[in-house]
Amino acid sequence: MDTSTHTVLYDPDGLIEAELPLDREPYECLVKAVLAWTGQDTLTTRDYEQIALQLTGHARAVAADVRRRADRLPKDSGQKALADVVLRETEGRLSTMIEGTVRCAQNRARLVRALYARLDRLETATGPSAVPSADQGVSPSHTHGPPGRLKVGP
């Protein structure tokens, strides 16, 4: 007899995920730390693989946010065209095998940074009505600062 209390959620359109804000700040800190690494390999191969996996999963979530935001723009929008280019490049970069190396983890970190830069630009282009407000449970780090800049620290 199975006594599991877990419920399997079927959400093929990603509607639930679309309503959840990204927890941006911890990933920005991880990106900063990974990009600060120098040539000295101090972690194990498995550690680098786990970091790259974590960044890959977050890159997919940010890419989905970029897609949703870009889809709100007119078809002839330059911002939409740039988002489409970034998303195609993202798919290509995410399709490569994860390696347990500094280089691989740093490439994934750069990808997350680029996706957040595009998301910030799209938020600016789509206006404040498309950005969740703080009273909707979004942390201030989700909607901060100028495009392309990572918030670091408190």
Side-chain angles (χ1 to χ4, degrees):
M1 179 167 131
D2 185 12
T3 60
S4 175
T5 59
H6 294 88
T7 303
V8 176
L9 181 63
Y10 181 69
D11 184 28
D13 297 321
L15 298 176
I16 291 173
E17 181 182 281
E19 298 301 318
L20 298 174
L22 295 172
D23 194 6
R24 186 171 178 162
E25 189 172 358
Y27 286 94
E28 289 175 333
C29 290
L30 179 59
V31 164
K32 181 181 179 194
V34 168
L35 293 177
W37 291 339
T38 57
Q40 195 77 307
D41 287 355
T42 57
L43 299 175
T44 67
T45 299
R46 297 289 295 155
D47 291 334
Y48 291 123
E49 287 173 355
Q50 287 301 310
I51 292 166
L53 280 170
Q54 190 74 22
L55 290 168
T56 297
H58 196 67
R60 290 188 192 287
V62 179
D65 246 12
V66 168
R67 169 57 53 213
R68 282 188 290 275
R69 182 81 50 176
D71 286 346
R72 294 181 187 155
L73 295 171
K75 290 190 186 290
D76 61 347
S77 165
Q79 287 282 359
K80 183 177 178 71
L82 287 172
D84 289 340
V85 168
V86 168
L87 289 168
R88 278 193 303 274
E89 182 178 328
T90 296
E91 280 306 310
R93 290 172 68 183
L94 290 177
S95 68
T96 62
M97 292 282 293
I98 289 178
E99 301 169 4
T101 63
V102 170
R103 183 174 166 258
C104 178
Q106 286 180 329
N107 284 339
R108 300 296 163 121
R110 285 184 198 95
L111 181 58
V112 169
R113 185 177 60 185
L115 285 165
Y116 269 128
R118 179 56 39 206
L119 183 62
D120 289 344
R121 288 182 182 100
L122 288 170
E123 286 176 351
T124 301
T126 56
S129 64
V131 178
S133 65
D135 62 344
Q136 292 175 310
V138 178
S139 71
S141 65
H142 183 71
T143 59
H144 76 279
R149 291 289 168 131
L150 293 178
K151 178 182 174 189
V152 180

